[in-house]
Every structure is written in C-alpha cells, then in structure tokens.
Amino acid sequence: MSAPLLSLSRRIRRTPFSGRVMASGVKAYTVYNHMLLPSVFESPEEDYRHLKTDVQVWDVACERQVEVRGPDAARLLQMLTPRDLSKMAMDQCYYTPMVDETGGMLNDPLTLKLAEDRFWVSIADSDLLFWIKGLVYGLRLEVDVDEPDVSPLAVQGPKADDLMARVFGDTVRDIRFFRYATLPFEGHDLVVARSGYSKQGGFEIYVDQWDLGEPLWDALFAAGEDLNVRAGGPNLIERIEGGLLSYGNDMTRENTPHECGLGKFCQTQTAIGCVGRDALLRVAVEGPVRQIRSLAIDGEALGPCGDLWSVYANGKRVGRVTSAAWSPDFETNVAIGMIRMTHWDDGTKVEVETPDGMRTATVRESFFI
Ligand code: THG
C-alpha cells in the first residue's frame, strides 16, 4: 500500500493508546472527530479475516463522549433524537439518530444513560457538541455540556468474551447487548458495554483516565496471547457486509433517519420535544423516496469508494454508492448506497459508475450476513 503521509499536529489528537498502536505496527490511519483512528494493521483483508476468527483490541478513542449533565439533561437528550428515551434504563446504551429541525441527520451516536441527570453521547464524526451547546444557550437549559477525556477501547471478535473475562472476571459474560456494567480495573471503575462497531460481538471499555490506557492495553495483550489477540480497528469490509453505517460517508445532513434505514430507531410520535419532530412526522406520512441499500457489484476487486459512484438503470441515475470493498467471504464487491424507490427492491439489476468503469450490480434488501 502506498499513500501520502499524514502531517501530524495538535489538531489531529493522539489517544491514550497511540504509543501502543504504533508499536503494534499500524499501517494506515484515518481522522475522526479530529483524532487519530487506526484503520489498517496487516491489510484490510488480513485484518478482516482475523477479526472474524479471533479477537482484536481497537483504539476507538475517537468515539468521543459529549457529556450532558444537570436537571434538564433528559429533556435536552429527547430534543436531540426521534428515538423515545422515556423508558431508557440506567445501564442501557441506545443507538440514537440525531437530527436538526429539518429532520436531517447530524450524527448517529450511541447514548449511554449514566444517571437520571447524566448522559454520554458517544459521537460519530461530526461536531455535535456545538449544536448541543447552541441549544443549551438559546433555550437557557440547566445543563453542563462538555467533552470529558473518555477514550473507548473496543475488544471485538468471536473470542472477545473469553479475553474480557480474563481481565474483568466472568461477570462480563452476563452483560447483555447494548447494556453496560461498571467494573474495576486496577482499582478504578470503568464503564464496560457490550457494543462495538462490528458484527462479530464484543465490548467497549470507556477509559476515563489517560494513564490507564497503556496498562489496560497491556493487560489485554498479556491475557490474550493464546487467543491470538491483535491490534485492529473498524474494518471497512466487515462493516459494509454487516450494514454498519458511517456518518459523513453513507449519510449526511441531507438525509433523514428513514432514508438511512434507521426508522426502527425512531418513535417520532412519542418523542415529544424532539427538534426535528414536525419535519419527521411529515416525511413519515409519505415515507422516503430513496433509502440505504446493500449492493453486490460484479467484477474484479474495486478500490475503496473515496467519492460518490453514480448508480444507473436504463441510462437514468437512480442512486449512488457511498462505501465499497471486495469481500473475500462473499467473493463479490460489497457496497452501501442510497437508491431511489423505483429500483430499491431486492434483486434489482443496476449499473455502477466506478473509477474502473461501468459495472453491473444487484440491489439487496438485506446486508451480507
Ligand atoms: N460505539 C461507540 N460510539 C460510537 C460507535 C460505536 N460512535 C461512533 C459510531 N460508532 C456511531 N455509529 C454507530 C453505528 C452502528 C452501531 C453503533 C454505532 C451499531 N449498530 C448495530 C446494528 O446496526 O446492527 C446495533 C444497533 C441496535 O440494535 O441498537 O452497533 O460503535 N461507543
């Protein structure tokens, strides 16, 4: 792989794990929330195979937390999302589309409820903090909003339970999907959730003390030697197969949650106070006219989709592809795109304009699982 170098500076923040990541031989980084996000160690294909077979430790410190605390915290959170938060339990994480007053997606974070009046919003790549601070100031809400120095470390893969049990004890096995427990590591309580940006299962540890980063990393690697633990990161191939969306790539402020296939996370009727509620109630009546779909693109392996690739049918543009990669397991190029309703049915044949020329492709209603 040959690529230009990334000039490091204070704007591109390091993480508590950066030293260990470099020592592990990271080969490529991306930047996410103004922070380093390791993306490749061996190669995308080798990292993918290993993630699906063993267990990986991921520096996902770039999943920054926006902390909201104070008497108006719960009310403010419900303003941000059309997902009904009224029944959220104290040990829960919710996948929460967040929208502006037009119903446009601003971010798709996980929200963790830490107390009745305290939440972490674990953001995707957009400066959600500014929007939240604007609402707080404009509406004179009684909350504090900031970005505490909390750095998630993910443990992902089929052997994640075994590795985590060795470091945190067997109680981690009892943590249910999208729930968390507070567990001690070296005498310090850490939030440990069963979540993560892969479909292989695993956990995320919210490291809220910089100095714990390297000891935790080292403990996981020491405990996991015979499990073949390795450093990894969110894997492009695996996340496209599984249909995990990437904000800024697969969706932007131009899209509603319904277009993104996130309608199942919206209870707009009962999400009283949501800033985008009126707009979303209106679009929910008619339904979206384009929606996220999975695609299989025929032919040789394609490079990553750095830009939009137009999708055509009978010479007319009917959508675009926003993410693509060669899948070794499905032996085709797997892709995510936004497709107009006239062509979004399962099995519809289309053509995709790639940098390697026009390719035939098939629209799919389910992801590759
Ligand atoms: N973990 C944490 N923070 C994050 C991410 C994460 N912030 C950035 C980014 N990822 C936010 N986006 C997503 C997208 C998908 C999922 C999580 C965060 C996800 N989705 C599952 C799915 O679609 O199958 C499950 C959703 C559900 O059933 O509730 O996991 O990964 N801390």
Side-chain angles (χ1 to χ4, degrees):
M1 202 183 336
S2 122
L5 299 175
L6 185 67
S7 303
L8 294 181
S9 74
R10 188 160 178 251
R11 286 185 299 99
I12 303 178
R13 299 176 286 178
R14 288 154 182 75
T15 85
F17 319 110
S18 290
R20 293 295 187 263
V21 164
M22 296 206 205
S24 304
V26 64
K27 285 201 180 122
Y29 275 116
T30 184
V31 176
Y32 194 95
N33 285 324
H34 318 281
M35 204 171 212
L36 287 171
L37 169 58
S39 53
V40 179
F41 284 84
E42 294 297 326
S43 69
E45 293 75 19
E46 284 169 277
D47 294 351
Y48 159 92
R49 177 60 51 224
H50 179 261
L51 168 63
K52 285 183 144 191
T53 314
D54 295 311
V55 56
Q56 296 184 345
V57 176
W58 295 2
D59 173 0
V60 282
C62 64
E63 295 169 354
R64 295 275 86 193
Q65 308 308 300
V66 176
E67 179 166 316
V68 176
R69 64 179 181 281
D72 287 330
R75 187 156 78 94
L76 172 58
L77 257 296
Q78 191 63 82
M79 286 180 190
L80 299 171
T81 180
R83 183 154 183 185
D84 185 344
L85 303 180
S86 62
K87 292 183 183 67
M88 190 174 187
M90 207 97 98
D91 65 342
Q92 255 182 318
C93 321
Y94 270 10
Y95 185 33
T96 42
M98 293 200 170
V99 298
D100 66 12
E101 76 286 0
T102 72
M105 291 286 296
L106 294 178
N107 203 292
D108 69 328
L110 294 195
T111 295
L112 282 73
K113 184 169 178 174
L114 301 173
E116 289 302 334
D117 59 356
R118 183 167 173 243
F119 296 82
W120 277 344
V121 180
S122 187
I123 59 171
D125 190 19
S126 80
D127 293 314
L128 196 70
L129 180 81
F130 298 156
W131 163 251
I132 300 179
K133 282 186 72 80
L135 288 175
V136 169
Y137 179 76
L139 298 170
R140 303 188 199 305
L141 300 178
E142 226 181 302
V143 288
D144 284 324
V145 180
D146 58 16
E147 188 196 290
D149 199 3
V150 175
S151 295
L153 186 67
V155 178
Q156 301 284 301
K159 298 179 183 166
D161 275 64
D162 291 337
L163 176 54
M164 286 293 285
R166 291 181 189 179
V167 175
F168 288 95
D170 273 323
T171 56
V172 295
R173 297 184 194 275
D174 300 329
I175 301 174
R176 287 184 286 151
F177 186 60
F178 271 44
R179 301 272 172 163
Y180 69 82
T182 307
L183 301 174
F185 175 76
E186 294 192 348
H188 190 91
D189 279 340
L190 298 175
V191 170
V192 178
R194 192 183 286 277
S195 59
Y197 198 67
S198 88
K199 286 286 192 182
Q200 306 309 309
F203 299 85
E204 293 181 300
I205 310 158
Y206 291 76
V207 181
D208 58 6
Q209 202 178 291
W210 190 277
D211 295 346
L212 282 178
E214 294 193 345
L216 177 59
W217 181 284
D218 293 343
L220 288 163
F221 277 82
E225 212 170 322
D226 61 310
L227 299 175
N228 196 20
V229 62
R230 282 196 212 157
N235 183 274
L236 182 69
I237 312 167
E238 197 268 347
R239 77 118 183 130
I240 296 174
E241 284 180 358
L244 293 172
L245 304 183
S246 169
Y247 187 79
N249 286 321
D250 305 315
M251 57 192 163
T252 68
R253 204 153 52 81
E254 301 290 302
N255 305 116
T256 65
H258 303 281
E259 290 177 346
C260 301
L262 301 179
K264 58 177 179 285
F265 301 110
C266 301
Q267 298 82 33
T268 312
Q269 279 292 349
T270 52
I272 309 293
C274 171
V275 167
R277 187 165 176 269
D278 290 349
L280 289 180
L281 285 177
R282 231 175 299 136
V283 301
V285 172
E286 310 223 322
V289 295
R290 55 182 181 177
Q291 199 168 48
I292 288 276
R293 281 291 180 273
S294 174
L295 294 97
I297 306 177
D298 302 330
E300 306 271 285
L302 291 163
C305 182
D307 210 333
L308 298 175
W309 296 348
S310 289
V311 177
Y312 295 94
N314 305 318
K316 265 185 62 186
R317 193 165 181 273
V318 297
R320 63 200 188 202
V321 162
T322 47
S323 298
W326 174 260
S327 163
D329 282 354
F330 292 92
E331 296 182 326
T332 184
N333 293 289
V334 293
I336 293 175
M338 190 69 75
I339 306 293
R340 293 184 64 82
M341 68 188 299
T342 48
H343 292 80
W344 72 21
D345 287 348
D346 194 56
T348 306
K349 301 289 178 194
V350 291
E351 283 189 297
V352 181
E353 190 174 26
T354 76
D356 288 12
M358 214 52 131
R359 295 282 185 94
T360 54
T362 309
V363 176
R364 300 161 50 98
E365 271 180 28
S366 57
F367 292 99
F368 293 84
I369 30 174

